[in-house]
Amino acid sequence: MVETNMTTHDRETEIKALLTKQKATAFREAYLDLHVYEQAQIFVDLDKTQRARLYRYLTPEEVGDMFNAIEEEPQDVVGYFKEMPLKYAGEVIYEMYTDNAVDILAYADPQDLNEYLHHVPQEAANEIREMLHYEDKTAGAIMSTEYVAITANQTVRSALQVVKKEALDAETIYYIYVIEDENKLQGVLTLRDLLTNDDDVLISDLMNTPVMSVRVNEDQAEVAQTIRDYNFLALPVTDFDDTLIGIINVDDIIDVIDEESAEDYSGFAGVDVENTPANPFRAAWSRLPWSLGLLILGLATAVVIEHYQALIQDDSTLIIFIAMIMGAAGNAGTQSLAVAARRLTNKEDESESFGKLILAEVWAGLLVGLASGLVFALIAGWWQHNYLLGLVLGLALMLSIATANLLGCLVPWGLDRIGIDSSVVPGALIATVSDVSSVILYFGLVQVFLKWMV
Amino acid sequence: MVETNMTTHDRETEIKALLTKQKATAFREAYLDLHVYEQAQIFVDLDKTQRARLYRYLTPEEVGDMFNAIEEEPQDVVGYFKEMPLKYAGEVIYEMYTDNAVDILAYADPQDLNEYLHHVPQEAANEIREMLHYEDKTAGAIMSTEYVAITANQTVRSALQVVKKEALDAETIYYIYVIEDENKLQGVLTLRDLLTNDDDVLISDLMNTPVMSVRVNEDQAEVAQTIRDYNFLALPVTDFDDTLIGIINVDDIIDVIDEESAEDYSGFAGVDVENTPANPFRAAWSRLPWSLGLLILGLATAVVIEHYQALIQDDSTLIIFIAMIMGAAGNAGTQSLAVAARRLTNKEDESESFGKLILAEVWAGLLVGLASGLVFALIAGWWQHNYLLGLVLGLALMLSIATANLLGCLVPWGLDRIGIDSSVVPGALIATVSDVSSVILYFGLVQVFLKWMV
């Protein structure tokens, strides 16, 4: 798509060759000419010898910038630090944005961590240690501590000087935060505000207040929603006494949105789609508990069918259409689940309107079931020359679909009520439970209508 | 979460009351004090009379700013223009960001559109007409035309003057694009670059080149991926002769990412989770073709079971466990589908490694199947006092799961090969097809082992 991308592969080959031939200067020139994202893409493809040379040819600052852009899982990236001389690793860590460094260091051995941080300036090391304590997937865990802060009694002129001074280190200079004593967050303004006002205007006359902010323990999904709704480029993070302790940038939020959507998808699919182990033994092992659990749950269908075994023995046509009913109900139930789980995740609706959703889904189930049931009754009746069987089958299909739809709404709603994230309800669970309800409904109906059917 | 949010509900009540009581000044004060996102949230809750008053109390510019933040579907928003005096509507449209206005106007009647645009300054009206031609979900359809452009022979000082002048209109001033004759895109620099360099430096010495850009017809999902990978705040859009025609901002991209993830989720679930009609008749109607289609496809299971009806008549225990096998295989197949579809959507892997994925999925299927099959064989054997039946069931389960996993990979891969987006393969399709393969495998095995089983 992009011109500069066309020769990605050639460039990678060329850069690897320069490392192999130990051409330090030519390597630096070619490599540093790339965007850090491209540098990172090449870096993760290098072998150990090539990486060792790269650490020799590049400064910790250059490697730190590039490490900010690595997209591998942090548990894999942490291994690279182990390959570097300790002092060099410490310097790379110091040069990285704190949030990125912390993500990775969360996976370091405690002993390694101490040794790296020994080579990081005291203040930054303390900051990293502090951030390592924030719970995963909270604002604290994804925030960055490199922001621009000024005070309300400054003028636009002096504020611009602060911005210029911080421009090289801060992750964003486009939002400027106004703080008072002890770092209390007081106001915010944008670089745009600074540029469009006279140099002598006081910040206190210009700043926006109150500031929209998030607490350090806020869930990252909520933070993402706020940034998305308000079209912010960054959002300040405060401690419990309103002290400004960091900011969350929109690029970190994009990763969060991706992560959360992959989680929803994985939850519904009943399998972690992002981190499927390449090794089939490990993949099988990770799916086995769930598969066995559902198999055991599915035993209930066997119990029900065995219970009605005598009926089937008398008339084996009864069994021909059972798979169709279960399949159709299972499909309908997973559709309902998808709609309900999404609605609950987005939390746009209050419980009142969720009640409406449940009602609507059951109605929709009855209607789809009615139409499908009619078609089914005609097919089955015509095929088996038994329109009463067709009627029973159609009725069973209709009730099975409506029940499945009800299950698809009620299960995630019930879990949500008791505080369990509704996005972890896999379609397979609803399909399996609806298999059970479908066989019960079908054979129950058969038994009721039996005296007229034979 | 946010202090300023606590009294959202009270504020909305208060603002509505001010409209009802026709207190124009108090209304303006309270309403315009809110963030545009909050203004929009209240606006969509107003009734027709209240809206008519709001148009009287607010300037087109104020309404235009607020309309930029409305999150309703564009086909619903377009109706608001019809409520306004024509000239007022034209002015609101003119004040909105072009991309947002175009999104909505795409749903206007051609005649209404002409009348609105009659009140929009010529140049802007032409721009809107032009943008209305870009295909949905391409870079052209989501780009904004409000950007800052300078030329390479300017100095930092004069560039900053341009930025200050454009600051009120441009959607972002943080990226500045360098153009040459006929708007050809030549370079890019950030506001950060301008602020950290001396006033007399020439832009040509400072700008980054070549510029990463996207073509106007590029798929929005690709644009999102680029912005995400490179952590850009915006990306320029060029015509086929490299003329700069717009930019795409990160906040538009967040909406795209959300939209695309909802599409993937909907595709897999087989139901549009974002736009489920509230009316159960319409919901049922939209799901019916798909439900009936799968029901007809599921008929194949009935054909297979009927084919083996004599076997079941002889020994009805054969049928007891069939639902469990179908259920387990269906679940495994949809898991495979989720993994494969996600892999194809992310396009990180080339076909070679997708071949590996298929192999790994089949192996994982055989392993999960083997373990489940063993458990199943023991349960069924112990329960029915027939370990040979248990063995056949276990074997059938293993092969059914492996087959379902293979289907889950091959179907999306095959569709992807012939150019169909693999994210539209619903789990229900794989589940239904795997139901058919499962009954065939099961009864096929029963027939083979029959002579020893009775």
Side-chain angles (χ1 to χ4, degrees):
Chain A
M1 42 138 275
V2 189
E3 271 172 74
T4 51
N5 236 349
M6 290 233 227
T7 52
T8 305
H9 184 72
D10 297 346
R11 255 183 347 206
E12 177 161 345
T13 316
E14 182 202 322
I15 281 170
K16 282 183 178 169
L18 290 172
L19 278 176
T20 309
K21 290 190 237 147
Q22 309 202 40
K23 306 249 183 204
T25 318
F27 166 77
R28 283 182 57 80
E29 204 163 292
Y31 192 70
L32 295 175
D33 194 40
L34 302 176
H35 189 280
V36 286
Y37 167 69
E38 294 158 344
Q39 293 176 12
Q41 295 252 301
I42 295 177
F43 176 78
V44 298
D45 280 346
L46 299 180
D47 62 32
K48 206 172 168 180
T49 322
Q50 290 169 330
R51 285 199 299 273
R53 282 181 192 153
L54 178 139
Y55 303 142
R56 282 216 312 280
Y57 299 161
L58 298 181
T59 67
E61 189 174 351
E62 286 155 356
V63 172
D65 283 349
M66 181 263 286
F67 266 47
N68 278 324
I70 290 188
E71 290 193 337
E72 309 291 288
E73 296 296 316
Q75 52 269 48
D76 300 326
V77 179
V78 75
Y80 298 132
F81 290 138
K82 268 187 107 89
E83 302 173 342
M84 304 174 190
L86 279 177
K87 183 158 180 298
Y88 190 93
E91 283 166 355
V92 169
I93 290 166
Y94 180 55
E95 292 298 339
M96 291 180 68
Y97 290 124
T98 324
D99 53 339
N100 298 336
V102 168
D103 277 353
I104 298 168
L105 291 174
Y107 293 90
D109 293 331
Q111 203 188 328
D112 290 342
L113 178 69
N114 278 331
E115 289 183 357
Y116 302 147
L117 291 187
H118 184 67
H119 296 279
V120 172
Q122 189 70 39
E123 199 183 334
N126 289 344
E127 212 164 67
I128 289 174
R129 277 186 211 283
E130 208 164 291
M131 281 186 66
L132 278 169
H133 289 131
Y134 292 122
E135 216 181 320
D136 196 26
K137 305 196 173 180
T138 61
I142 57 170
M143 75 183 181
S144 143
T145 51
E146 289 90 359
Y147 54 85
V148 182
I150 56 175
T151 55
N153 56 8
Q154 285 183 268
T155 59
V156 166
R157 182 185 298 109
S158 80
L160 273 172
Q161 268 152 13
V162 175
V163 171
K164 285 179 191 174
K165 215 183 98 221
E166 305 270 335
L168 289 178
D169 286 325
E171 220 175 322
T172 182
I173 59 165
Y174 302 132
Y175 286 4
I176 296 120
Y177 298 96
V178 184
I179 50 176
E180 48 190 341
D181 296 347
E182 291 172 351
N183 242 26
K184 286 262 195 302
L185 181 63
Q186 194 184 5
V188 66
L189 67 175
T190 63
L191 187 49
R192 196 189 289 237
D193 296 328
L194 288 186
L195 288 179
T196 51
N197 278 280
D198 283 339
D199 278 355
D200 294 316
V201 175
L202 272 177
I203 297 303
S204 53
D205 293 334
L206 211 58
M207 67 183 186
N208 297 294
T209 171
V211 192
M212 197 82 147
S213 65
V214 289
R215 292 271 183 238
V216 65
N217 65 335
E218 180 97 11
D219 187 291
Q220 63 174 11
E222 306 270 329
V223 179
Q225 193 59 43
T226 305
I227 287 196
R228 204 207 122 169
D229 286 343
Y230 288 85
N231 284 345
F232 288 142
L233 294 179
L235 200 55
V237 181
T238 58
D239 216 333
F240 298 94
D241 56 355
D242 292 322
T243 307
L244 177 64
I245 53 174
I247 59 166
I248 294 172
N249 285 293
V250 68
D251 52 324
D252 299 318
I253 283 307
I254 289 188
D255 296 337
V256 169
I257 293 176
D258 263 5
E259 201 179 295
E260 298 279 331
S261 88
E263 266 174 33
D264 286 355
Y265 190 90
S266 294
F268 183 66
V271 59
D272 183 348
V273 291
E274 293 295 282
N275 305 304
T276 317
N279 177 327
F281 284 91
R282 283 176 55 206
W285 185 250
S286 67
R287 292 185 205 171
L288 200 54
W290 180 234
S291 304
L292 282 181
L294 286 180
L295 190 69
I296 304 292
L297 189 57
L299 257 180
T301 60
V303 173
V304 176
I305 300 177
E306 196 201 30
H307 180 76
Y308 292 103
Q309 206 178 342
L311 286 181
I312 302 166
Q313 198 74 52
D314 285 344
D315 181 4
S316 57
T317 48
L318 289 179
I319 204 74
I320 292 178
F321 299 98
I322 186 74
M324 287 177 75
I325 295 180
M326 289 193 304
N331 297 343
T334 51
Q335 285 184 332
S336 274
L337 169 67
V339 173
R342 190 84 184 177
R343 200 72 68 99
L344 286 166
T345 304
N346 289 354
K347 291 272 188 217
E348 278 162 24
D349 301 72
E350 288 140 44
S351 55
E352 183 202 352
S353 78
F354 196 77
K356 270 191 207 150
L357 171 75
I358 295 181
L359 216 63
E361 279 298 315
V362 174
W363 267 112
L366 283 170
L367 290 166
V368 169
L370 184 65
S372 312
L374 274 173
V375 172
F376 191 35
L378 289 172
I379 294 177
W382 166 81
W383 184 13
Q384 297 296 326
H385 313 294
N386 183 343
Y387 284 93
L388 186 57
L389 174 64
L391 186 73
V392 173
L393 285 166
L395 200 59
L397 184 65
M398 182 173 97
L399 294 178
S400 296
I401 290 179
T403 308
N405 275 22
L406 187 63
L407 286 169
C409 292
L410 281 186
V411 172
W413 177 79
L415 288 178
D416 192 74
R417 286 265 108 170
I418 58 170
I420 295 176
D421 179 5
S422 57
S423 70
V424 301
V425 185
L429 177 65
I430 301 299
T432 305
V433 177
S434 107
D435 279 353
V436 180
S437 61
S438 296
V439 288
I440 294 176
L441 280 165
Y442 174 59
F443 283 110
L445 283 171
V446 165
Q447 194 142 56
V448 170
F449 286 92
L450 191 66
K451 44 187 160 193
W452 300 288
M453 275 169 76
V454 193
Chain B
M1 42 139 279
V2 188
E3 271 171 75
T4 51
N5 236 349
M6 291 234 226
T7 53
T8 306
H9 184 72
D10 296 346
R11 256 182 346 206
E12 178 161 344
T13 315
E14 181 202 322
I15 281 170
K16 282 181 179 171
L18 291 172
L19 278 176
T20 309
K21 289 188 238 149
Q22 309 202 40
K23 306 251 185 203
T25 318
F27 166 77
R28 284 182 56 81
E29 204 163 293
Y31 191 70
L32 296 175
D33 193 39
L34 302 177
H35 188 281
V36 284
Y37 166 70
E38 293 157 345
Q39 292 176 12
Q41 296 253 300
I42 294 176
F43 176 78
V44 298
D45 280 346
L46 299 180
D47 64 31
K48 207 172 168 179
T49 322
Q50 290 169 330
R51 285 200 298 272
R53 281 182 192 153
L54 178 140
Y55 304 141
R56 282 216 312 280
Y57 300 162
L58 298 182
T59 67
E61 187 174 352
E62 286 154 356
V63 172
D65 283 348
M66 181 264 285
F67 266 46
N68 279 324
I70 290 188
E71 290 192 339
E72 309 291 288
E73 296 297 315
Q75 53 269 46
D76 299 327
V77 180
V78 75
Y80 299 131
F81 290 136
K82 269 187 108 88
E83 303 174 341
M84 304 174 190
L86 278 177
K87 182 157 179 297
Y88 190 92
E91 283 166 355
V92 169
I93 290 166
Y94 178 56
E95 293 297 340
M96 289 179 71
Y97 290 124
T98 325
D99 53 339
N100 297 336
V102 168
D103 277 353
I104 297 166
L105 291 175
Y107 294 89
D109 292 333
Q111 203 188 328
D112 291 342
L113 178 69
N114 279 331
E115 289 182 358
Y116 303 147
L117 291 186
H118 183 68
H119 296 279
V120 171
Q122 189 69 39
E123 198 184 335
N126 290 344
E127 212 164 68
I128 288 174
R129 278 187 210 283
E130 207 164 291
M131 281 186 65
L132 278 169
H133 290 132
Y134 294 121
E135 215 180 321
D136 196 26
K137 304 196 174 180
T138 61
I142 57 170
M143 75 183 182
S144 145
T145 51
E146 289 90 357
Y147 53 84
V148 182
I150 55 175
T151 56
N153 57 8
Q154 284 182 268
T155 59
V156 166
R157 183 183 298 108
S158 79
L160 272 171
Q161 267 154 14
V162 175
V163 171
K164 285 178 190 175
K165 215 182 98 222
E166 306 270 334
L168 290 178
D169 286 325
E171 218 174 325
T172 182
I173 59 165
Y174 303 133
Y175 286 5
I176 297 120
Y177 299 95
V178 185
I179 50 176
E180 49 191 340
D181 295 349
E182 291 171 351
N183 243 23
K184 286 260 194 303
L185 181 62
Q186 194 184 4
V188 65
L189 67 175
T190 63
L191 186 50
R192 197 191 287 241
D193 296 328
L194 287 185
L195 287 178
T196 51
N197 278 281
D198 283 340
D199 278 356
D200 294 316
V201 175
L202 272 176
I203 296 302
S204 52
D205 294 334
L206 210 59
M207 67 184 185
N208 296 295
T209 169
V211 192
M212 198 82 150
S213 66
V214 289
R215 292 269 184 242
V216 65
N217 65 336
E218 179 96 12
D219 186 292
Q220 64 174 10
E222 307 269 330
V223 179
Q225 191 60 44
T226 305
I227 288 196
R228 204 207 122 167
D229 285 344
Y230 288 84
N231 284 344
F232 288 142
L233 294 179
L235 200 56
V237 181
T238 58
D239 216 334
F240 298 94
D241 56 355
D242 292 323
T243 306
L244 178 64
I245 54 175
I247 60 166
I248 295 171
N249 285 293
V250 68
D251 51 324
D252 298 319
I253 282 308
I254 289 187
D255 296 337
V256 169
I257 293 177
D258 262 5
E259 202 179 295
E260 298 280 329
S261 88
E263 268 176 29
D264 286 355
Y265 190 90
S266 294
F268 182 66
V271 59
D272 183 348
V273 291
E274 293 296 282
N275 306 305
T276 316
N279 177 326
F281 284 90
R282 283 175 55 206
W285 185 250
S286 67
R287 292 185 206 171
L288 200 56
W290 180 233
S291 304
L292 282 181
L294 286 180
L295 191 69
I296 304 291
L297 188 58
L299 255 181
T301 60
V303 172
V304 175
I305 300 177
E306 195 201 30
H307 181 76
Y308 291 103
Q309 205 177 344
L311 285 182
I312 301 167
Q313 197 76 52
D314 286 345
D315 181 3
S316 57
T317 49
L318 288 179
I319 204 73
I320 293 177
F321 298 97
I322 187 73
M324 287 178 74
I325 296 180
M326 290 192 304
N331 297 344
T334 50
Q335 286 185 330
S336 274
L337 169 67
V339 173
R342 190 84 184 180
R343 199 73 67 100
L344 286 165
T345 304
N346 290 353
K347 289 275 189 215
E348 279 163 23
D349 300 71
E350 287 140 45
S351 55
E352 183 201 353
S353 78
F354 196 77
K356 270 191 207 151
L357 172 76
I358 295 181
L359 215 63
E361 278 298 317
V362 174
W363 267 111
L366 283 170
L367 290 167
V368 169
L370 183 65
S372 311
L374 273 174
V375 172
F376 192 34
L378 288 173
I379 294 178
W382 167 79
W383 185 12
Q384 298 296 327
H385 313 293
N386 183 343
Y387 284 93
L388 186 57
L389 173 65
L391 186 73
V392 172
L393 285 166
L395 200 59
L397 184 65
M398 181 173 97
L399 294 178
S400 297
I401 290 180
T403 307
N405 275 21
L406 186 63
L407 286 169
C409 292
L410 281 185
V411 171
W413 177 79
L415 289 177
D416 192 74
R417 287 266 108 169
I418 59 171
I420 296 176
D421 180 4
S422 57
S423 70
V424 301
V425 185
L429 177 65
I430 301 298
T432 306
V433 177
S434 108
D435 279 352
V436 180
S437 60
S438 296
V439 288
I440 294 177
L441 279 166
Y442 174 60
F443 283 110
L445 282 172
V446 165
Q447 195 142 55
V448 169
F449 286 91
L450 191 65
K451 45 188 156 188
W452 298 288
M453 275 169 78
V454 192

